[in-house]
Amino acid sequence: MDFLPSPATLLAFTAAGLLLALTPGPDMTLSISRALGQGRRPALFVVLGTSLGVVCHTLLVAFGISALITASPTAFFILKTGGAAYLLWLAIQAIRFGSKLSVEKVDQTKASALANISTGFWVNLLNPKVIIFFMTFLPQFVTAGDPDVTSKLIFLGVYFIVIGMPVNVIVVLAADRLANWLQANPKVLRGIDYTFAGVFSVFAAKIFFTQAR
C-alpha cells in the first residue's frame, strides 16, 4: 500500500490531527451552537457537512501539490518552508491570544438535514483560515521526490476526518455541559493552547532543520 505514510509520519500526523480536533475553532463553535439551538441530530449533520468540506480541501491540495511538484520542486520547497513558518506563527498566536469559545443557546427554527449539511460544508469550505492551513499543513508530510504524493495526501486528508470525527461527535453529544465547562475553566483552553504551540513549534523546527541539511 504505497499510499500509506511511514509509521513515524503517521504518528506525527495523528498527534497533530487530534490536537487540531480538540482546539476550539469555527467548526466546533458552529456545531455546539447548532446542538444548543436545534438539538444533537441537526448538529451531527453540520459535522457531516464540515467533513465534506475537508474532503474538498484535501482533493484541491492533493492535486494542486502534485502539479506543483511536477512543475517546480523548488516552488514546493518554498511552500513547505513557508508552511512551517505559518505553523510557527499559529503557535505564537495561540500563546498570545488563546482559544475562545463563546456560544449561546439561541432558539432557531429547525432546518432540514440537507440545509445543515450545506451550512457545515460552506462554513468549512469558504473559511480562509482553513484554506491556508490545509495548503500549508498537509504538504509538510510528503516529500518532493515521492511518486505517490497524490495518494498519500488524499489518504492523510481522509485520515484527518477519521481522527476528528469521534471528537466532533462527542462535542455535539455533550455540547451543553462541554460549553459551560470550557467557559468556566479557561485554564483548560490555555492548556490546549500551550500544547498546540509546543507541538507545532517542534514540528516547524524539524522542517526547518531538515531542509537546511
Side-chain angles (χ1 to χ4, degrees), residues 98-122:
S99 301
K100 293 180 175 62
L101 183 68
S102 178
V103 294
E104 296 180 0
K105 184 175 181 179
V106 179
D107 292 332
Q108 302 173 357
T109 302
K110 288 191 176 182
S112 66
L114 183 60
N116 282 308
I117 292 173
S118 178
T119 298
F121 175 78
W122 288 110

Side-chain angles (χ1 to χ4, degrees), residues 23-72:
T23 302
D27 289 355
M28 182 182 290
T29 299
L30 174 63
S31 61
I32 291 179
S33 297
R34 192 56 54 91
L36 295 178
Q38 297 188 21
R40 294 173 178 175
R41 184 180 175 86
L44 290 174
F45 282 121
V46 168
V47 170
L48 176 59
T50 58
S51 297
L52 292 175
V54 172
V55 171
C56 287
H57 287 301
T58 297
L59 294 176
L60 291 172
V61 170
F63 290 103
I65 294 302
S66 299
L68 181 62
I69 291 176
T70 302
S72 175

Side-chain angles (χ1 to χ4, degrees), residues 9 115 190:
T9 298
R190 288 307 287 162

Side-chain angles (χ1 to χ4, degrees), residues 146-162:
D146 193 338
D148 302 301
V149 63
T150 303
S151 58
K152 283 184 177 178
L153 286 170
I154 292 175
F155 169 80
L156 288 173
V158 173
Y159 184 56
F160 183 82
I161 297 173
V162 172

